[in-house]
Amino acid sequence: MVNVNIQTTISPYTQQPLLTRPLLSDQELETVIAEVVKAQKAWKKVTLDERIAIAEKWLVEFEKLTDLLAEDITLEMGRPISSSKGEIAGTLYRARHLIKIARDCLKPIPQTDTDTEANKRMIIKQPLGVVVAITPWNYPHLCTVNSVIPALLSGNAVILKPAPQTPVPSERVLSAFTAAGLPANVLQVAHLSQQTTLENLVPDPRVDFVAFTGSVAGGRAVQEAAAKGSGFKGVALELGGKDPAYVREDADLAYSVENLVDGAMFNSGQSCCAVERIYVQSPIYDEFVKRFVETAKQYKLGDPSKPETTLGPVVSLAAAERIRKQVKDAVAAGAELILGESEFPEAKEGTTLVGPQVLVNVDHTMDIMKEETFGPAIGIMKVENDEEALALMNDSPYGLTASVWTSPTDPASLTAFNNLVEELEAGTVYLNRADALDPALPWTGVKNSGRGISLSTLGYDQLTRAKAVMMRVQLV
């Protein structure tokens, strides 16, 4: 009989149970929330310099665990071990930037331009209180650091609720903070069922803010749960994408192909900002498609623990089935599969090893061009001009990122790019790159890709409360 109070993580590659975690009962969760609330009252009084010192020590402790952290990722979500260390390096890079800007982001803002001798004003930033971070499995460290580091530095306490697929990475984050001297209960990891998360944690009035990264359906459920609680807590939603790329005829073809294949296939396409559809101007379309297929064929699909593997399994059998169905449905509707799984002997129906797949003769009646794939499959369409490309890129319920590939030196091309920047319905627009985040820039989406901001100076704003201070300093 299955124990509903135990969470089991299934290995994406072997499909065998990998590890288990006990789920918190309602009473245990009540204790966690009470402890975190109490801890936050003391933590907010710790000076910013002391908080920063602890965060800097965390960097050292976290980096010491690099090999172990990479192994966790490979075992729990299936990324090839050859790529897993990259997430640790990226996490450290983001965290260092967020720590570096903390003083400027959190300092009082005097209003000297409009002050008078009699009246002085300033804005101060105070912590919200208790922040819940609900993190995904596909980038368990990168997505965690986006909210946890600025939340803690701002004086908040954090309850970290990781995805059931990747419970260990959050525990490693906590252990590194404990080693760095973070006071007890300022950060807690809570393994919870979906029901307990939505019915007990998110709506709890002692929770002041919820940062969620995951699916559109999950984001909607979190938003509705938060609204059912008393009060009006903030909710940040980093959701899905169907991110387009547009390759103009003056793009560097070799460079564009190499980077777009990587943008579509890295992490087996399991990234919210993966390239999921490509539009190519007609003069270079045939050559682009030919080179794209040749490059995608080079992936080595297989056991993610082997150093020669460059493409691992997708996260589950259900995910594999969904990806394959999206491709089959497109072919049934008239698309042509010009790179199929037959090129990859390891890719077999009924397994999580899904090979790269490339389709042409696609259109926007097909899910492959409209709904999130979250796998190593992509459709490529021919377009005639910027106007056609723009209309197709914006024809989506999502709006996370979009990329444009064109000459970076030609003035006319840069003008075209800037015009597209203004019109594209996306939180981030790239020139000659894709599937990348910069911690100095805000990470945000439009439409069904969510709301709220993480990273950059603006990311601190959603984790603090602005307070106006007005002082009459001359009484006569």
Side-chain angles (χ1 to χ4, degrees):
M1 184 175 179
V2 175
N3 187 343
V4 296
N5 297 315
I6 297 293
Q7 170 184 288
T8 301
T9 297
I10 303 297
S11 163
Y13 180 63
T14 69
Q15 285 300 294
Q16 297 300 309
L18 182 65
L19 53 88
T20 61
R21 289 292 183 273
L23 297 173
L24 296 185
S25 67
D26 291 351
Q27 185 54 52
E28 287 169 329
L29 176 59
E30 167 63 30
T31 300
V32 166
I33 296 173
E35 289 174 343
V36 170
V37 169
K38 182 179 179 181
Q40 193 273 330
K41 294 184 187 306
W43 178 241
K44 71 178 181 180
K45 296 178 181 178
V46 173
T47 67
L48 179 56
D49 283 346
E50 290 175 276
R51 290 185 220 144
I52 289 173
I54 290 171
E56 289 174 337
K57 289 177 184 175
W58 175 84
L59 292 171
V60 175
E61 297 297 330
F62 187 78
E63 190 168 17
K64 288 178 185 176
L65 302 174
T66 294
D67 289 342
L68 194 57
L69 299 170
E71 183 179 333
D72 292 338
I73 292 169
T74 296
L75 288 172
E76 293 178 38
M77 63 77 57
R79 186 181 310 145
I81 192 66
S82 58
S83 302
S84 290
K85 284 187 180 179
E87 178 166 353
I88 312 311
T91 298
L92 290 164
Y93 176 74
R94 283 188 198 179
R96 288 188 181 105
H97 180 81
L98 292 168
I99 294 167
K100 183 177 74 173
I101 65 174
R103 287 186 179 87
D104 279 343
C105 292
L106 298 171
K107 67 183 180 183
I109 306 171
Q111 304 300 300
T112 52
D113 287 349
T114 53
D115 278 348
T116 65
E117 291 186 4
N119 294 288
K120 307 295 181 185
R121 287 84 44 78
M122 65 177 173
I123 302 166
I124 62 174
K125 297 182 180 181
Q126 296 185 311
L128 299 175
V130 174
V131 172
V132 167
I134 304 175
T135 57
W137 53 264
N138 59 325
Y139 286 97
H141 288 298
L142 284 170
C143 293
T144 294
V145 78
N146 290 0
S147 54
V148 169
I149 293 292
L152 292 175
L153 289 175
S154 298
N156 299 292
V158 178
I159 298 173
L160 180 54
K161 192 277 175 195
Q165 188 66 40
T166 49
V168 176
S170 292
E171 295 167 357
R172 305 279 195 214
V173 169
L174 175 56
S175 67
F177 264 116
T178 301
L182 185 71
N185 300 322
V186 172
L187 173 64
Q188 287 217 43
V189 174
H191 299 299
L192 301 169
S193 69
Q194 179 176 302
Q195 180 178 354
T196 302
T197 302
L198 295 175
E199 293 182 3
N200 296 60
L201 177 61
V202 171
D204 192 288
R206 293 165 294 180
V207 170
D208 299 285
F209 189 85
V210 181
F212 172 83
T213 304
S215 69
V216 173
R220 186 170 289 112
V222 166
Q223 178 175 271
E224 291 172 356
K228 290 177 182 176
S230 61
F232 302 95
K233 71 188 65 183
V235 177
L237 305 171
E238 297 183 27
L239 309 179
K242 189 68 181 175
D243 294 5
Y246 170 38
V247 186
R248 301 180 81 243
E249 62 181 302
D250 66 348
D252 183 309
L253 202 54
Y255 173 88
S256 300
V257 166
E258 178 185 358
N259 283 274
L260 283 169
V261 170
D262 180 69
M265 305 300 172
F266 184 80
N267 208 34
S268 296
Q270 298 170 128
S271 171
C272 57
C273 59
V275 176
E276 292 225 355
R277 49 198 173 107
I278 301 176
Y279 306 96
V280 183
Q281 276 197 309
S282 57
I284 61 168
Y285 175 82
D286 290 339
E287 184 64 21
F288 176 90
V289 168
K290 175 186 174 185
R291 294 193 189 190
F292 192 96
V293 169
E294 289 172 350
T295 303
K297 281 182 180 179
Q298 304 307 310
Y299 279 97
K300 173 61 178 174
L301 179 67
D303 183 345
S305 68
K306 294 183 176 179
E308 65 268 22
T309 298
T310 55
L311 198 70
V314 295
V315 71
S316 67
L317 289 172
E321 183 178 344
R322 177 183 49 76
I323 296 161
R324 288 179 170 125
K325 183 179 185 302
Q326 202 177 74
V327 172
K328 289 174 183 175
D329 287 350
V331 172
E336 180 184 357
L337 185 63
I338 57 172
L339 176 61
E341 290 193 284
S342 60
E343 295 286 341
F344 303 90
E346 301 83 358
K348 294 180 176 66
E349 290 279 351
T351 77
T352 54
L353 289 173
V354 179
Q357 295 165 87
V358 180
L359 299 104
V360 294
N361 297 336
V362 289
D363 60 47
H364 277 220
T365 67
M366 302 171 185
D367 282 353
I368 195 73
M369 299 301 286
K370 293 283 284 186
E371 294 299 328
E372 190 169 29
T373 303
F374 224 63
I378 193 162
I380 306 176
M381 281 183 70
K382 182 189 299 185
V383 295
E384 297 302 324
N385 51 48
D386 293 351
E387 292 73 23
E388 183 183 5
L390 176 64
L392 289 166
M393 294 170 87
N394 282 344
D395 181 27
S396 172
Y398 302 99
L400 192 55
T401 81
S403 60
V404 179
W405 304 75
T406 193
S407 169
T409 56
D410 178 67
S413 296
L414 292 175
T415 296
F417 169 73
N418 289 324
N419 290 337
L420 289 165
V421 168
E422 290 296 321
E423 299 298 327
L424 281 166
E425 296 166 355
T428 297
V429 180
Y430 304 104
L431 172 64
N432 296 329
R433 66 180 308 181
D435 191 25
L437 281 72
D438 187 319
L441 296 175
W443 186 244
T444 186
V446 301
K447 298 190 278 191
N448 281 357
S449 289
R451 71 176 190 205
I453 294 173
S454 64
L455 302 178
S456 79
T457 58
L458 301 180
Y460 275 88
D461 291 343
Q462 75 174 13
L463 296 166
T464 55
R465 182 177 291 109
K467 179 178 283 187
V469 181
M470 302 175 65
M471 299 173 287
R472 180 79 176 183
V473 296
Q474 285 188 2
L475 305 183
V476 292

